[in-house]
């Protein structure tokens, strides 16, 4: 639920989004086109967070293990992040309306499959397919907004609405997920997308103009090896949480991850049009911003995952109340991010990022002190306020650092990489934290034995595992701080050497 900002506007772009297609046929209905695109974008954004509050109900309904439950989030994040750049390239080559329609169709069908899921593996597969549909539709959605509105006030208003949907949709997902889960069933968190998707798909040919196709090639090998490598890596961590690091399946997954990621790097250095231009990582400040984002979002995904379960399983919150419990953080994140965009006009990006990471570290360290006796106001609300303030302050300049000095031909790829880093970092970070959680919980289970009641023992195991995961997430955040501090030192040295 972290918005992506570029110069104060929340966007996800493909390689040619930065240059509008002025040759696209216009149908004279830009407002209707905008409504369609915003509905589609809201649907995709909602599904990044709508299942968070429903996780305890999904766990009991489909008999997920405590560690396997993380795949409900990871499957979506990995395919969304891994295929996002390829989705943007597809819009360039095949036509954006065509690709947008395809993505919405895939997302809608996957949502129906998720709502009908009869097993954990079925739901995970549906979530992965949802992520793929979102990765196909999202880059084309913004490009279609740009091509529907000429430069000036009209486009600025449209982009403002797009930004509000992208940042506010994640917050709405938490609350809506709680309402749906409590009043109906977690399955309606998926079914709700079906009528929206059908209406968007039916109206698109009438209100959205097709864009001209461009010549180019798909880097399918790069996309497949990157997704395979990341899925194998996440699987290795989650399997290790239950089977251990010496398990044959864990070792095989690690070997596959290493081989696939090595093949990905080799592919990207050889193809003419790579899905991930590796030259984007040669600039130290940009590389640091990607690394810091990866670490920060990894910790944040874990925070959402474990706090949601703590609120419902330990504090006894209803799904609606659990969703509303996140609102203070969300409101602060939204408001402070607007302030950060204005502060960037006066302050350098890197020091502003460092200033934002500090309260995030404090909030995560605070959560690491959690216990079965912790209440919401003293033990959860305080960290939430720090998270909202820190993340709102950090992520705008962090994105600016990722895009500073990018060549025109790489602008779209660099912007999309910010979102890719966010999704992949969240998936991998959550997998690591789930492994820590499982190991700590097993250790507590052995130490408590039969000395406490069964319910109390469950809470002790659960909360001790969560506290350990929050401790490691704090290390993630400290790592992000050190990375950005190092980038600041290097920048000062370069300035001194150039004088």
């Amino acid at each position: 639920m972290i918005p992506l900002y570029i110069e104060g506007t929340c966007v996800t772009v493909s390689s040619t989004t930065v240059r509008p297609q002025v040759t696209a046929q216009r149908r004279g209905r830009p407002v209707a086109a905008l409504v369609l695109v915003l509905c589609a974008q809201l649907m995709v954004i909602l599904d990044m967070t709508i299942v968070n509050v429903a996780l305890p109900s999904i766990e009991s309904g489909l008999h997920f293990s405590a560690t396997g439950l993380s795949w409900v989030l990871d499957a979506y994040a990995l395919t969304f992040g891994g295929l996002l750049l390829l989705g943007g390239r597809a819009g360039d080559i095949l036509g954006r309306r065509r690709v947008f329609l395809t993505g919405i169709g895939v997302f809608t069908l996957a949502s129906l499959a998720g709502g009908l899921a009869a097993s954990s593996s079925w739901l995970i597969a549906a979530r992965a397919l949802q992520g793929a549909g979102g990765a196909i539709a999202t880059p084309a959605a913004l490009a279609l907004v740009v091509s529907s509105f000429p430069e000036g006030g009209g486009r600025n208003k449209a982009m403002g609405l797009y930004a509000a949907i992208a940042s506010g949709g994640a917050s709405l997902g938490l609350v809506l997920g709680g309402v749906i889960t409590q009043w109906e069933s977690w399955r309606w968190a998926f079914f709700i997308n079906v009528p929206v998707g059908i209406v968007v798909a039916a109206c698109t040919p009438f209100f959205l103009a097709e864009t001209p196709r461009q010549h180019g090639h798909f880097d399918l090998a790069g996309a497949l090896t990157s997704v395979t490598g990341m899925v194998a890596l996440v699987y290795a961590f989650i399997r290790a949480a239950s089977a251990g690091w010496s398990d044959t399946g864990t070792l095989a997954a690690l070997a596959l991850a290493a081989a696939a990621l090595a093949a990905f790097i080799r592919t990207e250095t050889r193809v003419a049009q790579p899905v991930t231009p590796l030259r984007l990582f040669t600039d130290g400040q940009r590389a640091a911003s990607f690394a810091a984002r990866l670490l920060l979002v990894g910790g944040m995904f874990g925070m959402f995952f474990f706090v949601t379960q703590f609120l419902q399983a330990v504090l006894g919150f209803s799904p609606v109340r659990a969703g509303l419990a996140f609102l203070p953080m969300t409101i602060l994140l939204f408001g402070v991010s607007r302030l950060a965009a204005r502060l960037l006009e006066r302050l350098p990006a890197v020091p502003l990022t460092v200033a934002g990471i500090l309260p995030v570290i404090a909030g995560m360290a605070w959560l690491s002190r959690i216990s079965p006796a912790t209440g919401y106001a003293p033990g959860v609300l305080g960290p939430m306020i720090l998270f909202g303030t820190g993340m709102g302050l950090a992520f705008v300049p962090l994105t600016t650092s990722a895009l500073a000095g990018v060549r025109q031909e790489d602008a779209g790829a660099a912007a999309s990489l910010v979102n890719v880093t966010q999704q992949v970092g969240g998936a991998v970070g959550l997998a690591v934290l789930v492994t820590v959680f499982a190991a700590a919980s097993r250790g507590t289970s052995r130490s408590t034995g039969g000395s406490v009641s069964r319910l109390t023992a469950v809470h002790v195991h659960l909360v001790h595992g969560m506290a350990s995961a929050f401790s490691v997430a704090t290390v993630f955040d400290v790592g992000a701080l050190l990375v950005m501090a190092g980038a600041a030192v290097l920048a000062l040295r370069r300035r001194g050497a150039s004088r």
Side-chain angles (χ1 to χ4, degrees):
M1 59 175 292
I2 302 165
L4 167 59
Y5 289 90
I6 299 172
E7 297 178 352
T9 302
C10 189
V11 299
T12 304
V13 299
S14 68
S15 58
T16 58
T17 298
V18 292
R19 296 188 305 275
Q21 294 286 350
V22 295
T23 57
Q25 175 191 358
R26 303 195 183 277
R27 306 218 170 177
R29 300 173 183 175
V31 175
L34 178 63
V35 170
L36 282 178
V37 170
L38 292 182
C39 286
Q41 186 67 9
L42 178 61
M43 189 169 60
V44 173
I45 293 295
L46 279 175
D47 269 70
M48 291 182 181
T49 57
I50 197 170
V51 300
N52 272 275
V53 179
L55 285 174
S57 299
I58 293 172
E59 181 180 14
S60 60
L62 295 181
H63 309 293
F64 272 93
S65 66
T67 54
L69 187 65
S70 62
W71 277 110
V72 178
L73 303 180
D74 280 346
Y76 187 92
L78 283 170
T79 53
F80 186 92
L83 297 176
L84 187 65
L85 287 168
L86 190 65
R89 190 71 182 139
D92 297 341
I93 296 174
L94 301 177
R96 293 187 183 125
R97 188 181 71 180
R98 180 179 292 104
V99 170
F100 175 75
L101 264 174
T102 301
I104 292 301
V106 171
F107 191 92
T108 303
L109 290 174
S111 298
L112 178 61
L116 295 173
S119 66
S120 58
S121 56
W122 181 340
L123 181 60
I124 290 170
R127 285 290 284 170
L129 196 59
Q130 270 191 315
I136 295 169
T138 296
L142 180 59
L144 287 167
V145 172
V146 172
S147 63
S148 297
F149 289 86
E151 290 188 23
R155 182 183 294 177
N156 292 339
K157 290 179 182 178
M159 295 302 295
L161 288 171
Y162 189 94
I165 289 292
S167 55
S171 310
L172 178 61
L174 290 169
V175 178
L176 188 59
V179 171
I180 289 173
T181 302
Q182 183 168 331
W183 293 352
E184 289 293 336
S185 162
W186 62 263
R187 296 181 183 277
W188 280 95
F190 299 97
F191 287 147
I192 195 173
N193 294 325
V194 177
V196 178
I198 291 173
V199 170
V200 170
C203 294
T204 292
F206 298 99
F207 299 109
L208 287 176
E210 184 57 282
T211 57
R213 300 187 186 188
Q214 299 181 9
H215 295 293
H217 301 282
F218 289 114
D219 180 17
L220 293 176
L224 291 176
T225 51
S226 64
V227 173
T228 300
M230 297 313 302
V231 169
L233 184 62
V234 169
Y235 176 78
F237 276 108
I238 293 177
R239 185 175 178 89
S242 56
W245 289 103
S246 60
D247 173 70
T248 303
T250 302
L251 296 175
L254 285 173
L256 176 59
L261 292 175
F264 165 71
I265 294 174
R266 185 171 181 268
T267 299
E268 300 308 275
T269 59
R270 297 191 172 197
V271 297
Q273 296 177 323
V275 70
T276 307
L278 297 182
R279 59 180 174 270
L280 290 173
F281 298 95
T282 58
D283 179 88
Q285 183 170 310
R286 189 180 306 118
S289 71
F290 285 134
R293 182 180 292 272
L294 188 118
L295 291 166
L296 286 172
V297 177
M300 286 294 285
F301 263 53
M303 189 275 287
F304 295 144
F305 182 77
F306 291 117
V307 168
T308 296
Q309 295 180 73
F310 177 80
L311 291 174
Q312 295 185 64
V314 179
L315 297 186
F317 279 26
S318 67
V320 172
R321 192 178 175 192
L324 291 173
F326 283 94
L327 272 184
M329 179 190 66
T330 306
I331 293 170
L332 272 171
L333 195 156
F334 186 82
V336 175
S337 63
R338 296 299 188 271
L339 173 64
R342 291 194 292 271
L343 288 175
L344 268 176
E345 299 174 2
R346 303 179 180 179
L347 300 173
V350 174
L352 195 59
T353 303
V354 170
I357 295 175
L358 290 173
V360 174
I361 294 173
M364 200 67 79
W366 191 344
L367 277 179
S368 70
R369 308 294 298 172
I370 204 168
S371 74
T374 298
Y376 171 72
V380 178
L381 179 60
M384 291 253 191
I385 291 172
L386 290 172
F387 288 138
T389 303
M391 287 296 189
L393 191 61
F395 268 81
V396 176
L398 197 61
T399 302
T400 302
S401 298
L403 300 176
V406 175
R407 293 188 295 184
Q408 179 68 20
E409 60 269 27
D410 290 333
S416 292
L417 264 177
V418 174
N419 216 338
V420 170
T421 305
Q422 188 164 297
Q423 298 300 322
V424 172
V428 175
L430 178 57
V432 173
L433 296 179
V434 164
T435 305
V436 172
F437 164 80
S441 297
R442 283 197 299 269
T444 308
S445 179
R446 288 192 293 269
S447 64
T448 55
S451 60
V452 295
S453 70
R454 183 175 181 277
L455 179 60
T456 303
V458 169
H459 285 177
V460 169
H461 306 158
L462 187 67
V463 174
H464 180 71
M466 290 177 179
S468 299
F470 291 138
S471 296
V472 174
T474 305
V475 175
F476 288 177
D477 297 333
V478 171
L481 177 67
L482 294 175
V483 166
M484 294 308 296
V489 170
L490 288 175
L492 288 174
R493 286 180 178 176
R494 281 198 299 268
R495 288 175 189 170
S498 63
R499 289 176 181 174

